[in-house]
Amino acid sequence: MYKIAVIGDRDSIYGFAAIGVDVYPITDAVASAKKIRALAEGGYAIIYVTEALYAKLHAEEQSAAMLPIVLPIPGIAGNTGLGVARVRKFVEQAVGSDILFSDR
Amino acid sequence: MAQRQINPTRMELTRLKRKLLTAVRGHKLLKDKRDELMRQFLEMVKKNMELRESVEARVQAALGNFALARATMQSAALDTALLVPGQEILLEADVRNVMSVNIPVFTCKFRNLDPGSIYSYGLGLTSGDLDEAVLSLSEALSDMIALAEAEQGCKLMAMEIEKTRRRVNALEYVLIPEMRESIKYISMKLDENERSTQIRLMKVKNMVLEQAHHYMERQNADFE
């Protein structure tokens, strides 16, 4: 059985506690990277990170492991387009060029 | 092309020919794998994009509601309201195998089966905005989990496609041409050897005949 966690600034994430997701209010990049690693070993399958914090984390590790899943969600500061940019990067990596979003 | 040192022997030729056959077969298989992966990837990415857009919109709406709740409630009261969660989510992870890429599939289980358990606070002391906010967030959750699945799938498939593409290209543009070149080199060398042996034999035969019958001497005698 796995759990879900949310990491980010407190204002963006405190609501998630109500629906049964574990929240960890951290804004420091180093501390959050450490926390993510600890959570990965601690039985968490999905770790949502606010976009503001995700941008501060170092470039995504290219780990081929299936779990945990670390992915950005918009925070209280608004949508920075980071999540879409991430998907776009996958397309670019797979296809060799940006074919899906060139018309947007 | 930089030719590697190879022995022009029949054994090497047979070995190379067999290797080429395997390489060509592997190339075809990998190419098929890449094409199928690409097809599945594009489907998944489309789904992923839709999910991401919906999740982002919903999470942002929920956050807006929370901001409203925060505005109408004292911060301490809000903190206490959400201090002890009434609900807990447990995920069961399964694996779906798509062209040898392992993609997670989650089934969601709630510890508390009562749908009202997301409201972990007394309704008397909290604002209605908070209820709205919590409800909107809990409605977004299933999409958020689906998004995690899809996005991880896309990530892993993208990595696999890149790897496969590199392999296909290495086979197509380096290994197979190199082997063809080597095979050509060896067979030419072998042919050349055969010709030179043939010529040598003819020469030797001439010399032996000459020694036995002294044609040249006789010829010269006839002229005189």
Side-chain angles (χ1 to χ4, degrees):
Chain A
M1 281 302 200
Y2 293 98
K3 288 180 277 183
I4 308 177
V6 186
I7 300 180
D9 57 297
R10 208 180 147 281
D11 284 344
S12 302
I13 64 165
Y14 70 103
F16 284 98
I19 56 171
V21 176
D22 294 352
V23 295
Y24 296 94
I26 304 171
T27 46
D28 179 54
V30 178
S32 57
K34 239 183 234 169
K35 191 80 207 170
I36 288 173
R37 216 162 303 142
L39 292 179
E41 285 163 13
Y44 285 83
I46 310 178
I47 303 168
Y48 296 103
V49 179
T50 56
E51 280 177 357
L53 182 62
Y54 195 91
K56 274 197 272 179
L57 289 173
H58 284 294
E60 188 167 354
E61 289 169 49
Q62 283 279 333
S63 101
M66 193 180 81
L67 296 175
I69 305 170
V70 180
L71 75 166
I73 52 166
I76 196 99
N79 191 346
T80 58
L82 195 128
V84 176
R86 186 165 173 264
V87 181
R88 195 174 297 195
K89 214 185 75 200
F90 294 151
V91 176
E92 228 171 275
Q93 186 186 3
V95 185
S97 75
D98 191 355
I99 55 162
L100 280 193
F101 310 107
S102 46
D103 52 331
R104 293 194 188 191
Chain B
M1 198 192 297
Q3 185 92 50
R4 243 180 297 130
Q5 192 59 47
I6 37 171
N7 294 326
T9 57
R10 235 162 249 289
M11 208 166 96
E12 187 74 12
L13 184 69
T14 330
R15 199 181 66 82
L16 269 175
K17 273 187 178 161
R18 206 175 303 143
K19 223 171 131 185
L20 179 69
L21 229 72
T22 318
V24 168
R25 170 130 187 81
H27 174 248
K28 189 192 162 296
L29 284 173
L30 277 174
K31 215 167 164 177
D32 288 351
K33 179 185 175 185
R34 184 197 62 187
D35 292 349
E36 174 60 15
L37 262 177
M38 190 65 92
R39 191 183 67 77
Q40 303 239 16
F41 176 78
L42 290 179
E43 255 171 43
M44 195 142 198
V45 138
K46 208 177 271 173
K47 195 177 113 199
N48 186 0
M49 251 347 252
E50 281 163 16
L51 271 171
R52 181 155 268 290
E53 269 161 14
S54 111
V55 162
E56 283 186 353
R58 285 166 103 166
V59 166
Q60 260 187 308
L63 286 176
N65 287 342
F66 271 107
L68 272 181
R70 209 174 181 73
T72 50
M73 278 174 72
Q74 279 184 338
S75 138
L78 189 61
D79 287 350
T80 354
L82 300 175
L83 194 59
V84 183
Q87 180 64 285
E88 194 179 353
I89 302 169
L90 292 170
L91 289 178
E92 213 162 321
D94 254 333
V95 175
R96 189 160 65 97
N97 193 319
V98 178
M99 302 297 290
S100 81
V101 181
N102 288 336
I103 290 171
V105 179
F106 293 118
T107 34
C108 203
K109 278 199 181 144
F110 295 96
R111 175 146 291 174
N112 201 334
L113 292 174
D114 174 18
S117 63
I118 49 173
Y119 308 113
S120 57
Y121 43 81
L123 299 179
L125 297 172
T126 53
S127 99
D129 292 324
L130 186 60
D131 302 348
E132 289 266 324
V134 169
L135 184 66
S136 57
L137 204 55
S138 85
E139 279 170 353
L141 189 72
S142 67
D143 267 6
M144 280 175 74
I145 292 169
L147 175 73
E149 274 172 19
E151 203 145 315
Q152 189 74 352
C154 282
K155 176 183 162 185
L156 294 176
M157 268 162 116
M159 282 164 76
E160 185 70 21
I161 287 174
E162 198 187 18
K163 218 165 32 180
T164 313
R165 202 181 48 218
R166 274 163 192 257
R167 280 189 193 142
V168 170
N169 284 348
L171 276 174
E172 190 170 342
Y173 296 109
V174 181
L175 245 88
I176 291 178
E178 219 168 60
M179 261 186 260
R180 290 226 160 96
E181 190 100 333
S182 297
I183 287 173
K184 209 166 129 198
Y185 167 76
I186 293 180
S187 53
M188 271 159 78
K189 201 84 176 172
L190 284 178
D191 283 358
E192 184 64 28
N193 278 349
E194 199 172 320
R195 276 194 295 276
S196 95
T197 316
Q198 188 115 33
I199 297 297
R200 198 178 317 122
L201 277 176
M202 284 163 75
K203 284 263 183 201
V204 168
K205 183 181 164 198
N206 272 347
M207 279 159 75
V208 170
L209 281 176
E210 181 70 31
Q211 268 180 5
H213 303 290
H214 303 284
Y215 289 124
M216 290 298 276
E217 271 174 44
R218 259 193 252 168
Q219 217 171 33
N220 286 346
D222 287 349
F223 276 124
E224 278 166 15

